[in-house]
Amino acid sequence: MSKFVYLFGLMMTDGRLATTLLVLMCLAASACALPSSAPSTPDAATIASSLQFCTDEINRYRASIGRSALTRSDTLEQFAATAVQHDASAGVPHSLFSKTNGGGVAMAETELLLWPDRPVQDVIKTGLAQMWSAGPNGEHYEILSGPYTQVGCGVYVSGGEVSVAQDYR
């Protein structure tokens, strides 16, 4: 039986480090059927479809509670792509967001950092579901359902690990 550690984090620009959670997952092998090989670096088309999937998943959750849909922002996507690569390389969630005050463009960030051996869209779907499941008292939920109008997602894959950032304004 394998155990994996998934790192979640979020940061808001008002300086609150909302929460960094280490969540132990996959205690039962049946709950964690993982592919036998590491994901390869996605091509441009796969990244583009994953960015849209990320926005669509966030909007699906927002719609479930009557919140308006967020629009994709090229500016936020550029920052999220830079931030997620920086954070994954450092192994520290929200490092770039914190250092740059959201790059001057993002008001809040959620992040799925260093998920091993999973397809990108699986990381997005599973990670956002876990964030949302915290409910109205959870800070990930607070950001996902927050008063934002735009979102940008960024994806980084390296060494079989997938990381995805979602930046909001």
Side-chain angles (χ1 to χ4, degrees):
M1 185 177 320
S2 297
K3 294 183 182 179
F4 297 96
V5 177
Y6 294 141
L7 184 63
F8 290 97
L10 58 105
M11 174 66 88
M12 299 174 77
T13 57
D14 65 5
R16 290 185 298 155
L17 175 57
T19 303
T20 300
L21 301 172
L22 289 176
V23 180
L24 291 176
M25 299 296 295
C26 301
L27 297 177
S30 63
C32 300
L34 297 176
S36 60
S37 63
S40 61
T41 302
D43 61 20
T46 301
I47 293 291
S49 67
S50 294
L51 297 178
Q52 185 62 53
F53 180 77
C54 181
T55 299
D56 292 345
E57 278 294 284
I58 291 166
N59 285 331
R60 184 175 66 81
Y61 285 112
R62 291 174 63 86
S64 73
I65 58 167
R67 297 283 198 273
S68 60
L70 303 177
T71 58
R72 280 179 67 180
S73 163
D74 290 337
T75 303
L76 289 172
E77 283 186 357
Q78 290 170 9
F79 177 74
T82 301
V84 76
Q85 181 174 354
H86 176 275
D87 295 354
S89 296
V92 178
H94 314 296
S95 177
L96 188 65
F97 184 95
S98 182
K99 288 178 186 176
T100 65
N101 196 31
V105 297
M107 297 172 60
E109 178 176 83
T110 55
E111 198 165 45
L112 305 163
L113 197 62
L114 303 172
W115 286 51
D117 303 321
R118 295 278 187 105
V120 173
Q121 289 189 11
D122 183 49
V123 169
I124 293 167
K125 185 173 186 158
T126 303
L128 290 176
Q130 290 175 0
M131 288 180 184
W132 189 259
S133 71
N137 294 324
E139 294 183 78
H140 288 101
Y141 179 97
E142 180 182 323
I143 290 175
L144 288 167
S145 65
Y148 309 108
T149 59
Q150 297 179 321
V151 66
C153 297
V155 172
Y156 180 66
V157 178
S158 179
E161 294 179 317
V162 176
S163 298
V164 184
Q166 306 86 37
D167 285 275
Y168 305 83
R169 72 171 173 212

